[in-house]
Amino acid sequence: MQQRHGRLRERLETVRARAAKSSTWRTSTQILFRLVNKDGFVPVRTRLSREDLAFLAGAREEVIAFADLTLRLVDLHRPQEAGGGITSDPDRPIRRCRACMSRWPCPTYRTITEALDP
C-alpha cells in the first residue's frame, strides 16, 4: 500500500511540476478566440519550450484523470442524514459525510470546493 501511495504522490508531483514549468495560455486565448477562421480553427505560430511540449503532450489525459478523481471523491464524500443522533432541532438533523462520517461539509468536500470554486 505504501508503494502505491508513493507512486501516486510521485505522479501528482510530476504533473504539478510539469504544469508549473510550462507557459500559461490564459491571456493568449483571449486574443486567439478573435482569430477563429470560418472552419473553426485558429492558425497559431508560436515558440514552445520543451517544458510546454511536455505539458501539452499529456495535459488532456491528466485533466480527464483529475476530473474523474474529483468526481469519484465528490460521489464518496456526500451528505447523509444522521439517523438516531441527538439534535436540538428535529426538523434539521445533524448531517454527516457518508464516507468519513465527519460533520457536513466534511474536510475533503470543503477542500475540493475551495480548490475549484473561483
Side-chain angles (χ1 to χ4, degrees), residues 7-109:
R7 285 193 307 266
L8 178 60
R9 184 160 190 79
E10 184 178 323
R11 180 176 179 200
L12 294 171
E13 288 173 354
T14 299
V15 170
R16 182 191 299 151
R18 192 179 308 136
K21 288 179 184 176
S22 67
S23 302
T24 181
W25 282 61
R26 186 168 302 276
T27 55
S28 300
T29 55
Q30 294 170 353
I31 296 166
L32 293 174
F33 273 118
R34 290 184 256 149
L35 300 176
V36 175
N37 64 22
K38 64 182 177 178
D39 298 321
F41 296 99
V42 176
V44 177
R45 292 187 193 128
T46 187
R47 296 171 56 117
L48 298 171
S49 68
R50 289 179 194 264
E51 290 81 9
D52 291 335
L53 292 172
F55 175 75
L56 292 171
R60 180 181 182 277
E61 290 77 15
E62 289 167 354
V63 167
I64 290 170
F66 278 112
D68 288 344
L69 168 67
T70 305
L71 287 169
R72 291 177 72 183
L73 285 171
V74 167
D75 286 344
L76 281 172
H77 291 270
R78 56 190 170 134
Q80 73 175 7
E81 298 301 327
I86 299 173
T87 180
S88 60
D89 185 358
D91 293 330
R92 296 183 62 200
I94 296 170
R95 298 171 72 193
R96 295 201 176 274
C97 175
R98 291 178 184 261
C100 65
M101 295 307 292
S102 294
R103 283 188 150 213
W104 187 256
C106 72
T108 301
Y109 189 84

